[in-house]
Amino acid sequence: MHHHLILRVVSKMLIPPILLYALYVQFHGDFGPGGGFQAGVIFAVAFILYGIVFSLDHLRRAVPPHIVRRFVALGLLIYAGVGVANLFLGGNFLDYSTLAHDAKHGQHYGILLVELGVGITVAAVMISIFFAFASRPPTIKDTDW
Amino acid sequence: MEAFIDIVLFGFLILTAIAIMRLRNLFAVVMLSGVFSLLSAGLFVVMDAVDVAFTEAAVGAGISTVLMLGTMAMTSREEKPPVHNRLFSFAIAVIVGAALIYGTTDMPPFGSPDAPAHQHVGPDYIERTPKEIGVPNVVTAVLASYRGFDTLGEVAVIFTAGIAVIVLLHGRTRPARTARARKKEKDV
């Protein structure tokens, strides 16, 4: 897709706002619509767009697949880790009220942390699946677009 | 005005579905299924289910389209002509559709305060969230806190699915085999 000048310029302009929007959806999920699932997908879309319009090698250089695969596990570990931390702080599993002196603040921290875990796992899984599909030899020919 | 938007969205949904049925070019079908998801997301917004609409737009219209394109690139661009009896498939579609429509006749009208969703735990969550959780979005409070265990399970499902795809499609078997083959050639 190297000669698609318009696509390249437009995606270069679009990718930073997409990433920013994903972060907004991620950390604003308790105030507006959205949360970790949606934010993770939007975050991954920015990378997938980069991989499609530029090339898979460019994407590999930006986010090496073996590192993305570690993030797949990291998100789930953060989520479960919050639950285990609650156990050590004297509460039930995933009872966020123990995270701070004020129960409401604890709930707020807990929701932010588990949503972050969800977002990391979802984004990493989506990018990994894209890598797995796109790394296979046949690609979409230019004439098919 | 809302009825007009509903009619337009549903009309386009039906047109898209008919186009998907009639087309044999899979590239066009994949793109149209993305359009179908986007239209459903619009319908969810009209029904005030913004969180669901958000997911549908991001996952249905965004990621699935890309993944289906990736799958199509590995297989075929054209759908093969059907070998089954078309009349039989049509009969099944009509019977299932009629059963579903018959099922909806027992449902409470949309937005009715007597609906089961507004009778059981719903009001309780709405009442308790400001006191116990203190976040304005009740959906997030239910998803991440009251039902945190469920969501942990969902993340584990996504994790497992991702690992499964990586293992199936991204295995390291091929480079290992070529290395062995090269060694064999050298030995010979």
Side-chain angles (χ1 to χ4, degrees):
Chain A
M1 299 257 272
H2 273 289
H3 52 275
H4 289 288
L5 181 66
I6 294 173
L7 271 182
R8 271 192 292 149
V9 171
V10 170
S11 12
K12 243 184 199 167
M13 279 160 60
L14 273 180
I15 287 170
I18 292 175
L19 288 173
L20 199 63
Y21 184 60
L23 291 175
Y24 163 76
V25 172
Q26 172 79 54
F27 293 110
H28 207 255
D30 38 359
F31 287 93
F37 285 100
Q38 294 92 335
V41 171
I42 296 170
F43 203 76
V45 160
F47 288 101
I48 291 173
L49 180 66
Y50 185 68
I52 291 178
V53 173
F54 293 87
S55 77
L56 211 56
D57 285 329
H58 280 80
L59 183 61
R60 276 206 197 94
R61 248 173 282 153
V63 281
H66 64 277
I67 292 178
V68 177
R69 265 176 261 157
R70 281 180 178 61
F71 277 93
V72 173
L74 178 72
L76 188 61
L77 279 177
I78 291 177
Y79 200 134
V82 171
V84 174
N86 294 143
L87 286 180
F88 280 110
L89 289 167
N92 288 326
F93 188 66
L94 292 175
D95 174 14
Y96 313 136
S97 304
T98 53
L99 286 176
H101 287 296
D102 184 36
K104 266 194 200 175
H105 285 179
Q107 290 285 347
H108 212 119
Y109 291 140
I111 289 177
L112 269 183
L113 278 172
V114 300
E115 291 274 17
L116 184 67
V118 173
I120 290 175
T121 290
V122 171
V125 164
M126 294 304 165
I127 298 172
S128 295
I129 292 179
F130 175 72
F131 267 130
F133 273 89
S135 306
R136 298 248 135 181
T139 48
I140 298 168
K141 277 183 244 125
D142 264 351
T143 47
D144 289 339
W145 284 97
Chain B
M1 189 60 197
E2 205 177 302
F4 175 71
I5 296 173
D6 277 344
I7 290 167
V8 169
L9 284 175
F10 271 116
F12 274 115
L13 264 188
I14 292 169
L15 283 180
T16 319
I18 291 172
I20 290 175
M21 268 192 314
R22 309 229 16 118
L23 280 170
R24 287 266 164 269
N25 184 337
L26 289 179
F27 195 92
V29 169
V30 169
M31 286 306 170
L32 280 173
S33 55
V35 171
F36 194 89
S37 282
L38 203 60
L39 287 168
S40 341
L43 274 172
F44 291 137
V45 172
V46 175
M47 290 188 274
D48 282 337
V50 264
D51 280 276
V52 185
F54 213 150
T55 317
E56 180 67 42
V59 179
I63 290 278
S64 339
T65 312
V66 171
L67 292 184
M68 280 197 278
L69 279 181
T71 319
M72 193 194 69
M74 282 188 239
T75 55
S76 161
R77 308 290 154 85
E78 292 290 320
E79 187 183 341
K80 284 187 186 130
V83 284
H84 304 288
N85 189 353
R86 281 182 169 190
L87 215 63
F88 179 67
S89 319
F90 182 71
I92 287 188
V94 167
I95 291 167
V96 173
L100 285 174
I101 290 171
Y102 176 71
T104 61
T105 53
D106 259 359
M107 276 168 64
F110 176 68
S112 151
D114 301 328
H118 304 297
Q119 290 288 324
H120 292 278
V121 289
D124 198 38
Y125 280 138
I126 293 169
E127 197 190 316
R128 282 165 59 174
T129 297
K131 276 184 261 162
E132 292 179 0
I133 315 286
V135 298
N137 187 352
V138 183
V139 176
T140 302
V142 174
L143 195 92
S145 187
Y146 288 118
R147 302 245 169 155
F149 210 77
D150 276 5
T151 311
L152 178 64
E154 281 167 30
V155 178
V157 167
I158 293 174
F159 170 80
T160 318
I163 295 293
V165 171
I166 292 169
V167 169
L168 280 174
L169 289 182
H170 221 255
R172 287 272 173 85
T173 50
R174 197 151 294 174
R177 204 195 303 152
T178 47
R180 219 183 305 145
R182 232 180 284 132
K183 193 166 170 271
K184 217 178 188 177
E185 277 168 20
K186 219 188 272 171
D187 289 350
V188 172

